Amino acid sequence: MELSGQTVKVNKPRPVNLDLQTIRFPLTAIASILHRVSGVITFVSLAILLWLLNLSLSSPDGFAAAASITDSFFVKFVLWGVLTALFYHIVLGVRHLLMDLGYFEEMDTGIASTKVSFAIVAVLAVFAGGLVW
Ligand code: HEM
């Protein structure tokens, strides 16, 4: 293979697919990507939630203002999403730590533990809905 004037020896030309829309990710990879996404969501939302907490504790008027902000369906939906992301991050984080200890490292147990984690997060998402609404 010719590469900018140099000849590079390619032992075995393999098909390369870098199109993210056609790559089929395994369940464990999706769980891992979402874990990072949920960590970033948790990090960003922390600042907003702390501001809201500060507002609600500042005075009776501040509390009323915070209560009216969280009264709309849209804000409640976002709060539900933030809580669900946090639950996802914790549950899949614990799974990650267990893997660091040597559990669920095989393909079959890895997929099974991912499915169990997703089920636990689904239950916690319903619980989060109960808390918010
Ligand atoms: C305010 C709370 C938290 C925030 C903002 C947060 C944020 C993050 C972020 C952004 C990452 C991704 C780092 C990367 O992929 O480079 C991460 C990774 C991780 N988090 Fe959290 N996290 C929080 C709480 C927790 C909790 C409570 C656990 C408990 C299980 C946890 C377990 C983990 C683990 C195990 C990783 C590493 C995953 C990996 O190596 O791929 N995190 N966290």
Side-chain angles (χ1 to χ4, degrees), residues 27-112:
L27 193 65
T28 46
I30 294 169
S32 175
I33 294 165
L34 288 178
H35 188 249
R36 182 171 284 194
V37 172
S38 66
V40 173
I41 291 174
T42 305
F43 179 71
V44 173
S45 60
L46 252 186
I48 300 164
L49 291 177
L50 284 176
W51 170 78
L52 203 59
L53 180 66
N54 183 46
L55 177 67
S56 76
L57 295 176
S58 60
S59 65
D61 281 351
F63 181 84
S68 79
I69 289 172
T70 53
D71 212 22
S72 83
F73 176 82
F74 177 71
V75 174
K76 283 188 174 177
F77 184 71
V78 171
L79 283 178
W80 172 79
V82 164
L83 271 180
T84 301
L86 175 64
F87 284 142
Y88 182 95
H89 194 79
I90 291 173
V91 173
L92 275 284
V94 169
R95 172 182 170 272
H96 216 287
L97 296 177
L98 287 172
M99 287 174 73
D100 287 346
L101 293 174
Y103 301 99
F104 315 132
E105 285 183 322
E106 307 306 322
M107 184 57 93
D108 53 343
T109 52
I111 291 173

